[in-house]
mmCIF file of all heavy atoms in Angstrom:
data_model
loop_
_atom_site.group_PDB
_atom_site.id
_atom_site.type_symbol
_atom_site.label_atom_id
_atom_site.label_comp_id
_atom_site.label_asym_id
_atom_site.label_seq_id
_atom_site.Cartn_x
_atom_site.Cartn_y
_atom_site.Cartn_z
ATOM 1 N N ASN G 193 8.312 -15.445 31.440
ATOM 2 C CA ASN G 193 9.134 -14.704 32.407
ATOM 3 C C ASN G 193 10.061 -15.671 33.140
ATOM 4 O O ASN G 193 9.675 -16.785 33.468
ATOM 5 C CB ASN G 193 8.249 -13.984 33.430
ATOM 6 C CG ASN G 193 7.389 -12.898 32.793
ATOM 7 O OD1 ASN G 193 7.627 -12.507 31.658
ATOM 8 N ND2 ASN G 193 6.397 -12.422 33.527
ATOM 9 N N THR G 194 11.279 -15.216 33.407
ATOM 10 C CA THR G 194 12.237 -16.063 34.127
ATOM 11 C C THR G 194 11.979 -16.045 35.635
ATOM 12 O O THR G 194 12.456 -16.893 36.370
ATOM 13 C CB THR G 194 13.680 -15.599 33.861
ATOM 14 O OG1 THR G 194 13.776 -14.207 34.163
ATOM 15 C CG2 THR G 194 14.047 -15.832 32.405
ATOM 16 N N GLU G 195 11.216 -15.041 36.082
ATOM 17 C CA GLU G 195 10.798 -14.986 37.488
ATOM 18 C C GLU G 195 9.366 -14.470 37.545
ATOM 19 O O GLU G 195 8.882 -13.853 36.604
ATOM 20 C CB GLU G 195 11.730 -14.079 38.306
ATOM 21 C CG GLU G 195 11.771 -12.648 37.806
ATOM 22 C CD GLU G 195 12.679 -11.766 38.643
ATOM 23 O OE1 GLU G 195 12.589 -11.854 39.884
ATOM 24 O OE2 GLU G 195 13.454 -10.992 38.061
ATOM 25 N N ASN G 196 8.706 -14.727 38.650
ATOM 26 C CA ASN G 196 7.332 -14.267 38.820
ATOM 27 C C ASN G 196 7.333 -12.780 39.165
ATOM 28 O O ASN G 196 7.831 -12.371 40.207
ATOM 29 C CB ASN G 196 6.650 -15.082 39.929
ATOM 30 C CG ASN G 196 5.238 -14.614 40.191
ATOM 31 O OD1 ASN G 196 5.003 -13.822 41.090
ATOM 32 N ND2 ASN G 196 4.290 -15.098 39.405
ATOM 33 N N LEU G 197 6.770 -11.969 38.266
ATOM 34 C CA LEU G 197 6.795 -10.512 38.434
ATOM 35 C C LEU G 197 5.613 -9.977 39.230
ATOM 36 O O LEU G 197 5.692 -8.907 39.813
ATOM 37 C CB LEU G 197 6.794 -9.827 37.055
ATOM 38 C CG LEU G 197 7.948 -10.159 36.113
ATOM 39 C CD1 LEU G 197 7.760 -9.436 34.787
ATOM 40 C CD2 LEU G 197 9.285 -9.775 36.752
ATOM 41 N N GLY G 198 4.499 -10.700 39.225
ATOM 42 C CA GLY G 198 3.275 -10.203 39.843
ATOM 43 C C GLY G 198 2.411 -9.477 38.828
ATOM 44 O O GLY G 198 2.854 -9.133 37.726
ATOM 45 N N CYS G 199 1.169 -9.226 39.213
ATOM 46 C CA CYS G 199 0.166 -8.698 38.273
ATOM 47 C C CYS G 199 0.552 -7.372 37.641
ATOM 48 O O CYS G 199 0.474 -7.198 36.427
ATOM 49 C CB CYS G 199 -1.163 -8.511 38.990
ATOM 50 S SG CYS G 199 -1.816 -10.041 39.615
ATOM 51 N N TYR G 200 0.962 -6.424 38.459
ATOM 52 C CA TYR G 200 1.268 -5.080 37.961
ATOM 53 C C TYR G 200 2.383 -5.128 36.920
ATOM 54 O O TYR G 200 2.234 -4.666 35.785
ATOM 55 C CB TYR G 200 1.665 -4.177 39.134
ATOM 56 C CG TYR G 200 2.145 -2.799 38.741
ATOM 57 C CD1 TYR G 200 1.252 -1.749 38.627
ATOM 58 C CD2 TYR G 200 3.502 -2.555 38.498
ATOM 59 C CE1 TYR G 200 1.687 -0.473 38.274
ATOM 60 C CE2 TYR G 200 3.947 -1.294 38.143
ATOM 61 C CZ TYR G 200 3.039 -0.255 38.031
ATOM 62 O OH TYR G 200 3.481 0.994 37.672
ATOM 63 N N HIS G 201 3.513 -5.713 37.303
ATOM 64 C CA HIS G 201 4.674 -5.695 36.416
ATOM 65 C C HIS G 201 4.485 -6.599 35.193
ATOM 66 O O HIS G 201 5.038 -6.317 34.127
ATOM 67 C CB HIS G 201 5.935 -6.080 37.200
ATOM 68 C CG HIS G 201 6.325 -5.056 38.220
ATOM 69 N ND1 HIS G 201 6.005 -5.177 39.562
ATOM 70 C CD2 HIS G 201 6.975 -3.884 38.098
ATOM 71 C CE1 HIS G 201 6.453 -4.120 40.210
ATOM 72 N NE2 HIS G 201 7.049 -3.319 39.353
ATOM 73 N N ASN G 202 3.696 -7.659 35.334
ATOM 74 C CA ASN G 202 3.490 -8.521 34.171
ATOM 75 C C ASN G 202 2.561 -7.873 33.143
ATOM 76 O O ASN G 202 2.703 -8.114 31.941
ATOM 77 C CB ASN G 202 2.954 -9.897 34.566
ATOM 78 C CG ASN G 202 3.114 -10.901 33.443
ATOM 79 O OD1 ASN G 202 4.108 -10.885 32.702
ATOM 80 N ND2 ASN G 202 2.132 -11.774 33.278
ATOM 81 N N LYS G 203 1.633 -7.052 33.593
ATOM 82 C CA LYS G 203 0.813 -6.290 32.635
ATOM 83 C C LYS G 203 1.713 -5.407 31.768
ATOM 84 O O LYS G 203 1.598 -5.373 30.541
ATOM 85 C CB LYS G 203 -0.215 -5.430 33.375
ATOM 86 C CG LYS G 203 -1.444 -6.193 33.860
ATOM 87 C CD LYS G 203 -2.444 -5.241 34.498
ATOM 88 C CE LYS G 203 -3.750 -5.940 34.844
ATOM 89 N NZ LYS G 203 -3.659 -6.888 35.942
ATOM 90 N N LEU G 204 2.613 -4.686 32.416
ATOM 91 C CA LEU G 204 3.506 -3.789 31.684
ATOM 92 C C LEU G 204 4.477 -4.584 30.809
ATOM 93 O O LEU G 204 4.791 -4.182 29.682
ATOM 94 C CB LEU G 204 4.271 -2.894 32.661
ATOM 95 C CG LEU G 204 3.402 -1.951 33.508
ATOM 96 C CD1 LEU G 204 4.273 -1.128 34.451
ATOM 97 C CD2 LEU G 204 2.560 -1.046 32.632
ATOM 98 N N ASN G 205 4.939 -5.710 31.330
ATOM 99 C CA ASN G 205 5.856 -6.552 30.564
ATOM 100 C C ASN G 205 5.187 -7.084 29.299
ATOM 101 O O ASN G 205 5.791 -7.118 28.219
ATOM 102 C CB ASN G 205 6.337 -7.708 31.445
ATOM 103 C CG ASN G 205 7.538 -8.418 30.864
ATOM 104 O OD1 ASN G 205 8.415 -7.787 30.284
ATOM 105 N ND2 ASN G 205 7.573 -9.730 30.996
ATOM 106 N N THR G 206 3.930 -7.493 29.416
ATOM 107 C CA THR G 206 3.187 -7.998 28.262
ATOM 108 C C THR G 206 3.029 -6.910 27.213
ATOM 109 O O THR G 206 3.251 -7.131 26.014
ATOM 110 C CB THR G 206 1.792 -8.517 28.692
ATOM 111 O OG1 THR G 206 1.943 -9.426 29.788
ATOM 112 C CG2 THR G 206 1.102 -9.236 27.553
#
Side-chain angles (χ1 to χ4, degrees):
N193 295 346
T194 53
E195 60 179 315
N196 178 264
L197 301 178
C199 298
Y200 174 90
H201 293 99
N202 196 37
K203 281 184 173 70
L204 298 179
N205 195 38
T206 309

